[in-house]
Amino acid sequence: MDNLAHLVDGFGTVLSGYHLMLMVLGVMLGILVGVLPGLGAPNGVSLLLPLTFAMDPVSAIILLSCMYWGALFGGSTTSILFNIPGEPSSVATTFDGYPMARAGQAARALTLAFLSAGFGALAGVVVITLLSGWVAQFALRFSSPEFFAVYFLAFASFVGMGSGSPLKTVVSMMLGFAFATVGMDTVSGNLRLTFGLADLIKGISFLVAVIGLFGIGELILTMEEGLRFDGIRAKVGLRDVGRAMRELPRQWLALLRSVLVGCWMGITPGGPTAASFMSYGLARRFARRKEGFGKGDPAGIVSPEAADHSAGTCAILPMLALGVPGSATAAVMMGGLMIWGLTPGPMLFIDQPDFVWGLIASMYLGNVVAVALVLATVPLFSAILRIPFAVIGPVIVVVCFAGAYTVANSPFDMGLVLAFGIVGYVFKRLDYPIAPLVLAMVLGDKAEDAFRQSMIMSGGDLSVFWSNALVGSITTLGLIMLAWPLIGRALGAARPGRLFRMRAN
């Protein structure tokens, strides 16, 4: 009941003409970021972040979060109409969304995607509303060992639950830790990895890194692939929305399963991309007609979209309550909170309740606004995609470099953006995940400080991470996650042998 009372207060904070205008603006910018190649939710939020420094934190987080929702919807639009995923988490939507659109049912595919995405997002906000107070109270029991154990679990979860190579994930994370240590050590005051460059004393801004990794890196890759936009024209009318609303209840099992998968993968650092692929795989596995998948099956659209948006929403919960972002975009938002002078964690709910519950209330309204706007603006943004990439590309480059310069008005950062752009391009070409690198850059300092404080408390004894049931269980779970690829391989190797023995008997 306390959470509901706080939520009502949150609606009182955000229900104003100014905040509603920010929601519309954020969603529209987000859809644009989602549909344009070379951009994406993390890069779009990082580009917009410097413009929020003069705003109050509640207004700023409303603008950024609504941009996030809009970017997720924009990625779905390009996946269905152009077979080009605007977001990595929208890749699974192309498997059935584009075939349905090519079969002359583009409006049906879009409305199914948007309505199921809206359902998943609202389900995620409900989960945040119900669990946020409990998670914050639980986190008040944390000291340095517990916080390090949580950070360790977040890093290990990327290794154990990631869809890519565990070794590549570890390499990406180690590189992020190295970037996080550049500059002045917060404990000893010594300079680390500055190589005599005065500009590196202040460290590497994660905003500059994100703009280069996601913006310039993706742009170079797009130029190399010679992307052409040859999509399907579509317009969504009220009749299409009505038909999709009548069809959606028939997919209730896929919706429920996808929301559960998405909420779990959002709260743990699995992220929206892993959630959408996992949900699509489950839908295909349990489908009565498996042969329909890949040819325009409605469940193949509903499942990844609901999981994607519920995971993207739930990724905000660990960021607020524990200071552990559940996705790359949540990591960028967490950096924004720290720039605004707010410290993510359990005390945020006590010291800044207006901010926390204003954000949660805005998530209800923002997602409703996003569904309405994306349905109304499909023709507009599909027309924007027909602009030649020779025009769009240079505009994106200018926006990226301008955004990086406004972070600290430093010409040196321009060179860093280009360097990180090359790193991002190499990572994409070699199929290395970028999200673990960003997470390590954001949490690296905090994890290091928590570890060193724990060692000071225990006199250098590592058993402090098993000193009580809470920290011991979190640390053990983290070790299991870290070793999960090896455990899974061992179980997979043992299963055929067991099957052979059973047949022999």
Side-chain angles (χ1 to χ4, degrees), residues 198-215:
D199 290 293
L200 287 177
I201 293 176
K202 65 181 185 301
I204 297 175
S205 168
F206 79 96
L207 277 179
V208 172
V210 167
I211 291 171
L213 290 168
F214 289 99

Side-chain angles (χ1 to χ4, degrees), residues 296-343:
D297 193 299
I301 299 173
V302 168
S303 297
E305 284 297 308
D308 176 9
H309 286 249
S310 56
T313 304
C314 285
I316 304 295
L317 175 58
M319 184 268 285
L320 290 174
L322 299 173
V324 179
S327 68
T329 310
V332 177
M333 288 187 184
M334 178 174 158
L337 263 65
M338 292 188 287
I339 290 172
W340 302 328
L342 302 176
T343 303

Side-chain angles (χ1 to χ4, degrees), residues 71-89:
L72 292 177
F73 281 104
S76 305
T77 303
T78 57
S79 295
I80 292 170
L81 294 184
F82 292 83
N83 202 27
I84 301 169
E87 290 286 317
S89 56

Side-chain angles (χ1 to χ4, degrees), residues 233-245:
R233 297 182 184 274
K235 184 177 181 180
V236 178
L238 289 176
R239 280 187 185 175
D240 302 308
V241 176
R243 288 196 203 100
M245 291 182 74

Side-chain angles (χ1 to χ4, degrees), residues 50-107:
L51 303 180
T52 66
F53 293 164
M55 301 170 65
D56 70 274
V58 174
S59 301
I61 198 67
I62 287 174
L63 182 61
L64 293 182
S65 62
C66 286
M67 186 177 192
Y68 183 22
W69 317 141
L72 292 177
F73 281 104
S76 305
T77 303
T78 57
S79 295
I80 292 170
L81 294 184
F82 292 83
N83 202 27
I84 301 169
E87 290 286 317
S89 56
S90 299
V91 172
T93 306
T94 63
F95 300 156
D96 283 274
Y98 187 64
M100 185 181 285
R102 289 196 67 182
Q105 302 181 61

Side-chain angles (χ1 to χ4, degrees), residues 88-92 261 271-281 303-305 307-308:
S89 56
S90 299
V91 172
V261 169
T273 303
S276 62
F277 276 102
M278 183 183 293
S279 183
Y280 183 86
S303 297
E305 284 297 308
D308 176 9

